[in-house]
Every structure is written in structure tokens, then in C-alpha cells.
Amino acid sequence: GAGVSQSPRYKVAKRGQDVALRCDPISGHVSLFWYQQALGQGPEFLTYFQNEAQLDKSGLPSDRFFAERPEGSVSTLKIQRTQQEDSAVYLCASSSANPWADSNQPQHFGDGTRLSIL
Amino acid sequence: DAKTTQPPSMDCAEGRAANLPCNHSTISGNEYVYWYRQIHSQGPQYIIHGLKNNETNEMASLIITEDRKSSTLILPHATLRDTAVYYCIVGGDFGNEKLTFGTGTRLTIIP
């Protein structure tokens, strides 16, 4: 079956430009996560949605980062006025876990968007 | 900060069992141990998880010590495709909670 799909796969932008990264989770998955992975490091949490509700955005590094999931399926991570330190791989993960059923379901990851800021 | 300690790198001969250790001495009673791996240029792939008992699936086995302070991931017959970074993660309800990755173990399978 289809897994988590992220687009674009690669994105190059000039410093100061705005970018939008898309995540299509596995169909029916309630939970959706965004992570940022710098070169040579493990992924770091950015934000978490349960359906359309953003329940945790504690990992967003600045107010230039904004995420949304308006209909509880596709999610977009937007970065405004990009800086060179924003260069990283941005990973999206989804899970079928929800508070009303078996909640300990694994997070399934997409292959990420590699963002390079020049 | 990550709550686990793993060796930075390991080698294993193709066809042999790969045993990846993980220390998690501060694990609490309701926390699980999860293993993911990340092959170059791909997203992390879920392998297995456990709470107290040893677990086995089609990919690997997870052995958790009785005091739960450490565990070992076992790939029974390593292939070249198993070359990856392996992450041991400790956490609660991982479907609804963020995963805290460390730097993992870079496993290289040698032909």
C-alpha cells in the first residue's frame, strides 16, 4: 500500500525566500509529525497534529516556521524568510494511533524533503 | 536529550547475526523501547518495539534485560541491505508522542 509521501523531494531556495513542503500521510492516519534532520544527526521533532488540531509545536525553531493540516489529512510545513541554517531534511511521519483505541502504533516516515538554502 | 546510549559504529560480516546494544538505564516503568533504522537518503523505518518481554518479528528480535536497563536488537542473518544507522529510542505512547532520536549506531555489513 501507499506509504507517507513527501514533495518536493529536493528544494533549493535563496536566502529570504519562503518555501512550502507537503506531506501526504497514510490514508486514515490520525497522527502526523514533522521532524528536522541536520546532516549527520538524528531527526529532531518539530510539531505534532492529531487530525486537524496542532497539539504540540514546541519543536518549531522560530516563528518563521508554520505548519498546518486544515482537513486532517495533508499537511504543509511553511518556512518564511529562509536562512542558511534552515538547510536540512524535513521528515513527515504518520501513525494510526488515536486516544480512543490502541494508541501504541508505530510512526511511519516518508523519505523527506531535502531543503538547501543558498 | 536522548535517554539512550549506543555505540557510534559497528561492523558485521554478511550472513552473520548482528547484535546492536543499547543502554537505557533511566527508563521508567511505562516506557517502551523502540528501534528504527535509516538507510541512506531514506526516512527512518520502524523495526520493532517492546516493553518487558522479548519480541520477534519478520525483521528482527529484541532482547530486553530483566531490569530493563539495556536491550539488544538482533538481525539474525545480516545482508548488505541491512547497512544503515540504527536508532534505539525510549518513550511512552509513540503513536501520539514525539520520538527523541539520538545519533544511533552506524552498522556496516561487510561482504
Side-chain angles (χ1 to χ4, degrees), chain A residues 9 31 33 35 37 41-43 45 48 50 58 91 95 97-99 103-107 109-111 114, chain B residues 32 34 36 38 40-46 49 87 92-103 106:
Chain A
R9 190 79 171 87
S31 299
F33 301 80
Y35 293 82
Q37 186 171 23
Q41 303 297 315
F45 170 78
Y48 160 57
Q50 192 175 92
S58 62
L91 295 160
S95 167
N98 67 75
S103 54
N104 205 21
Q105 298 297 319
Q107 296 180 25
F109 285 79
D111 286 336
R114 181 175 297 276
Chain B
Y32 289 78
Y34 309 109
Y36 278 76
Q38 189 171 25
H40 183 61
S41 296
Q42 296 182 19
Q45 177 189 23
Y46 166 75
H49 73 280
Y87 295 99
D93 176 1
F94 77 147
N96 293 314
E97 291 183 9
K98 62 184 179 183
L99 296 173
T100 301
F101 291 80
T103 51
R106 180 172 298 278

Side-chain angles (χ1 to χ4, degrees), chain B residues 42-59:
Chain B
Q42 296 182 19
Q45 177 189 23
Y46 166 75
I47 301 173
I48 198 168
H49 73 280
L51 182 62
K52 295 181 181 179
N53 300 322
N54 298 337
E55 302 288 344
T56 295
N57 64 19
E58 64 278 4
M59 291 183 67

Side-chain angles (χ1 to χ4, degrees), chain B residues 11-19 74-79 82 107 109-110:
Chain B
D11 293 338
C12 179
E14 187 178 17
R16 303 295 294 269
N19 296 279
I74 302 172
L75 308 178
H77 306 286
T79 71
D82 293 322
L107 175 67
I109 306 302
I110 301 171

Side-chain angles (χ1 to χ4, degrees), chain A residues 15-49:
Chain A
R15 185 165 58 91
Q17 288 183 330
D18 297 348
V19 298
L21 312 180
R22 177 186 170 105
C23 172
D24 284 82
I26 295 172
S27 179
H29 277 195
V30 170
S31 299
L32 185 145
F33 301 80
W34 283 97
Y35 293 82
Q36 180 190 59
Q37 186 171 23
L39 190 63
Q41 303 297 315
E44 292 190 355
F45 170 78
L46 293 176
T47 187
Y48 160 57
F49 290 85

Side-chain angles (χ1 to χ4, degrees), chain A residues 11-116:
Chain A
K11 177 69 177 177
V12 179
K14 293 182 179 179
R15 185 165 58 91
Q17 288 183 330
D18 297 348
V19 298
L21 312 180
R22 177 186 170 105
C23 172
D24 284 82
I26 295 172
S27 179
H29 277 195
V30 170
S31 299
L32 185 145
F33 301 80
W34 283 97
Y35 293 82
Q36 180 190 59
Q37 186 171 23
L39 190 63
Q41 303 297 315
E44 292 190 355
F45 170 78
L46 293 176
T47 187
Y48 160 57
F49 290 85
Q50 192 175 92
N51 294 307
E52 69 279 4
Q54 189 175 19
L55 298 187
D56 186 351
K57 53 182 181 179
S58 62
L60 296 177
S62 77
D63 59 7
R64 297 186 295 105
F65 286 71
F66 172 76
E68 60 184 5
R69 194 186 185 198
E71 298 180 356
S73 55
V74 171
S75 178
T76 303
L77 177 67
K78 298 180 180 178
I79 309 174
Q80 298 177 324
R81 304 181 303 282
T82 53
Q83 303 295 317
Q84 284 192 324
E85 61 263 29
D86 300 335
S87 295
V89 175
Y90 290 85
L91 295 160
C92 176
S94 72
S95 167
S96 61
N98 67 75
W100 310 279
D102 180 8
S103 54
N104 205 21
Q105 298 297 319
Q107 296 180 25
H108 298 276
F109 285 79
D111 286 336
T113 294
R114 181 175 297 276
L115 176 64
S116 298

